[in-house]
Amino acid sequence: QVQVVESGGGLVQAGGSLTLSCAASGSIFSLNAMAWYRQAPGKQRELVAALGSGGSTKYADSVKGRFTISRDNATNTVYLQMNSLKPEDTAVYYCNADIRPQQIAPMTRYWGQGTQVTVSS
C-alpha cells in the first residue's frame, strides 16, 4: 500500500512563514510528480505548486515569489516553504504524488489527508 502524509500546518501571523512536508511511503516502484493543492472554505481545491521528477516547477500566480516547492528524492518527500503569508492563504493544504506501486501497475495519483494552515491578520 502507498501512504502520503502531510505535516507542518498550523497557525501563523500574517507576514510569517511555515514549511509543509509531505512524505510518500509504502509500495513505490517509481514516483513522478508531486504537488501541493489547497482548499479554502467554500472554494474549490486549487493547485498551489507542482514539482516534476525532472525538476520542473509550476506555481499559482497568487503564491509566486512567496512559496517554494522542493523535493528530497532519497526520502520521497516534498516540501512547501511558505513565506510572507497572507490571511488569504488560509486553507487546508493537500499533497499528492503520482506513483507506480509496482512495475506492471499503472501510474496512480495518491492524496494525503490534508493539513490546516491558518494565517491571522
Side-chain angles (χ1 to χ4, degrees):
Q1 288 189 346
V2 174
Q3 286 188 319
V4 175
V5 179
E6 304 101 334
S7 61
L11 174 65
V12 64
Q13 288 188 333
S17 299
L18 274 178
T19 300
L20 304 182
S21 301
C22 170
S25 62
S27 176
I28 299 175
F29 176 78
S30 64
L31 190 154
N32 197 354
M34 299 182 79
W36 288 96
Y37 282 71
R38 68 186 180 187
Q39 188 167 19
K43 295 187 177 181
Q44 289 189 332
R45 190 175 296 191
E46 62 174 357
L47 174 68
V48 176
L51 179 55
S53 57
S56 60
T57 58
K58 180 178 181 179
Y59 292 94
D61 288 341
S62 59
V63 307
K64 284 181 181 177
R66 300 189 297 122
F67 290 11
T68 302
I69 189 170
S70 61
R71 177 169 170 170
D72 182 344
N73 289 326
T75 60
N76 294 332
T77 301
V78 67
Y79 302 95
L80 186 67
Q81 174 67 44
M82 305 184 294
N83 298 325
S84 302
L85 282 161
K86 304 175 181 180
E88 51 263 44
D89 294 318
T90 295
V92 177
Y93 283 70
Y94 297 91
C95 170
N96 71 41
D98 294 338
I99 293 170
R100 191 185 305 277
Q102 294 93 28
Q103 185 173 6
I104 61 171
M107 189 72 73
T108 303
R109 177 159 293 177
Y110 293 85
W111 288 86
Q113 80 289 349
T115 186
Q116 177 71 46
V117 172
T118 302
V119 184
S120 63
S121 57

